């Protein structure tokens, strides 16, 4: 079976082929398994999950006129036994580019660390999953590992694809509205850089991690509670003030990631 891609999938498909590393849209995760785990039973749970979810049996193809998804009846799957001296080495060898034309766009591996504990590695391509979908995937996996029957899903991602196609006019109106709003944004702010900023976009970047002491976290929680906001809102306000101070810009525009799940039925949907 074939189906058209959603707007989000179209964007990810194009960006994946533009990305020189081919792993910018990989979503890897690693989980230390404290309890004893039956790897064969785990593999059976993943296999059952793939049989249940059409999206995990979907590959993506370009026939020269359009990009489409193709759902296979069956796809091969195994839990790989990973080898490596340390976590960094195993992680680097595990995270590899996906071939979007070959399902499943998910790989799983198990590794035993130096302390004898097993570590479960899962990597899935963003074109078939997102952050909220990862929680759904793990919940279903836990249920299947415990030999429980999964409740019938209210909607699937394929249903959502059809809904978006049928409501294309309304989504285009929303897109046009926000594009008009974007035209009113101020010019990109000038921040102090260590090096000249490239004129072309790439996926190069880094992560800056900062740990707060417990007393400061408690103060933030108390401040957020008094003002009726979340800690996220408090920290975003502080970030806005920092950008204002660094750039001297009176207007600060910040892009925030969001799930985009505006329909209640999609909250428990994989995709």
């Amino acid at each position: 079976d074939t189906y058209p891609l959603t707007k989000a999938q179209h964007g990810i498909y194009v960006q994946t082929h533009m990305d020189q590393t081919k792993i910018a849209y990989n979503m890897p995760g690693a989980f230390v398994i404290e309890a004893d785990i039956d790897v064969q039973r785990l593999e059976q749970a993943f296999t059952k999950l793939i049989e249940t979810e059409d999206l995990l049996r979907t590959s993506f193809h370009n026939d020269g006129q359009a990009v489409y998804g193709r759902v296979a009846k069956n796809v091969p799957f195994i839990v790989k036994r990973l080898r490596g001296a340390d976590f960094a080495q195993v992680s680097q060898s595990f995270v590899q580019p996906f071939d979007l034309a070959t399902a499943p766009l998910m790989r799983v591996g198990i590794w035993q660390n130096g302390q004898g504990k097993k570590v479960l590695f899962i990597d899935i391509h963003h074109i078939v999953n997102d952050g909220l979908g990862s929680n759904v995937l793990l919940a279903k996996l836990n249920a299947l590992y415990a030999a429980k029957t999964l409740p019938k899903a209210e909607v699937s991602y394929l249903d959502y694809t059809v809904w978006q196609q049928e409501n294309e006019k309304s989504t285009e109106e929303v897109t046009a509205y926000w594009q008009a709003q974007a035209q009113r944004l101020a010019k990109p702010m000038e921040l102090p850089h260590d090096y000249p900023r490239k004129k072309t976009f790439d996926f190069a970047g880094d992560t800056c991690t900062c740990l707060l002491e417990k007393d400061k976290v408690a103060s933030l929680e108390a401040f957020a509670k008094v003002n009726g906001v979340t800690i996220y809102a408090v920290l975003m306000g502080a970030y806005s003030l920092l950008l204002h101070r660094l750039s001297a810009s009176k207007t600060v525009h910040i892009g925030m990631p969001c799930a985009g799940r505006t329909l209640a039925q999609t909250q428990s949907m994989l995709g």
Side-chain angles (χ1 to χ4, degrees), residues 21 60 75 91-92 123 125 140 199 206 216 220 235 240:
T21 69
F60 299 87
V75 294
S91 300
Q92 186 174 9
D123 193 9
H125 199 279
K140 290 186 175 184
K199 294 183 179 181
D206 205 348
K216 290 184 178 179
L220 285 170
L235 295 176
S240 301

Side-chain angles (χ1 to χ4, degrees), residues 21 53 120 125 162 185 212:
T21 69
E53 296 289 344
L120 176 65
H125 199 279
V162 174
L185 298 180
L212 296 178

